[in-house]
């Protein structure tokens, strides 16, 4: 197993042990390497979202979706952090981008919820 994979596994282990800052330290180093993977950025985005803010997680999820544009998990991470940060137009742009080539139960659920809100006179 490559040292990057070992380090990534260690970061995930630290995250699972409730040590997000230790995990982030490893992920930050891995993210600087030319062969950094979408998984590195996805886990880093999740941890930043959890420990700091949605705003701080956006760049990690953007990088994850750039590296793995067909990843539903990366796309949803980006959508939710953009939405939570008040960047709703960007969030829905990401949703549309992803739905051009794949289906998503979660995105469909979001759209169904919005349709339901609008039909009841809710936000929208």
């Amino acid at each position: 197993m490559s040292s990057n994979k070992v380090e990534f596994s260690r970061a995930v282990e630290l995250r699972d042990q409730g040590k997000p800052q230790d995990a982030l330290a490893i992920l930050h180093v891995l993210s600087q390497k030319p062969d950094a993977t979408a998984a590195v950025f996805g886990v880093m985005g999740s941890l930043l979202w959890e420990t700091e803010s949605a705003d701080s997680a956006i760049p990690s999820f953007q990088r994850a979706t750039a590296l793995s544009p067909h990843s539903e998990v990366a796309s949803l991470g980006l959508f939710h952090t953009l939405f939570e940060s008040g960047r709703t137009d960007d969030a829905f742009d990401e949703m549309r981008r992803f739905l051009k080539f794949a289906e998503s139960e979660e995105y469909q659920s979001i759209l169904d919820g919005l349709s339901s809100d609008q039909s009841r006179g809710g936000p929208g």
Side-chain angles (χ1 to χ4, degrees):
M1 189 182 301
S2 76
S3 66
N4 288 356
K5 287 182 182 177
V6 170
E7 288 299 302
F8 180 73
S9 293
R10 178 73 181 132
V12 169
E13 186 177 297
L14 288 165
R15 176 202 65 190
D16 294 347
Q17 292 172 356
K19 299 176 182 175
Q21 295 306 324
D22 294 339
L24 279 167
I26 292 170
L27 293 167
H28 180 72
V29 170
L30 290 175
S31 74
Q32 301 303 308
K33 297 187 177 191
D35 59 347
T37 64
V40 166
F41 289 100
V43 173
M44 189 162 67
S46 294
L47 285 169
L48 288 168
W49 190 9
E50 175 185 311
T51 61
E52 295 181 20
S53 69
D55 283 339
S56 66
I58 290 170
S60 294
F61 284 121
Q62 287 173 323
R63 188 75 176 115
T65 58
L67 289 169
S68 187
H70 294 98
S71 168
E72 181 178 14
V73 172
S75 178
L76 287 166
L78 181 55
F79 172 85
H80 286 293
T81 53
L82 287 167
F83 193 88
E84 189 175 306
S85 296
R87 294 173 54 186
T88 54
D89 288 346
D90 292 334
F92 283 100
D93 285 347
E94 172 55 26
M95 177 190 284
R96 282 188 286 280
R97 180 201 67 80
F98 183 81
L99 292 175
K100 283 182 184 175
F101 56 80
E103 293 182 11
S104 165
E105 286 184 28
E106 185 163 344
Y107 278 141
Q108 191 57 54
S109 176
I110 292 166
L111 291 170
D112 291 347
L114 290 172
S115 294
S116 158
D117 284 348
Q118 288 177 348
S119 68
R120 290 191 310 258

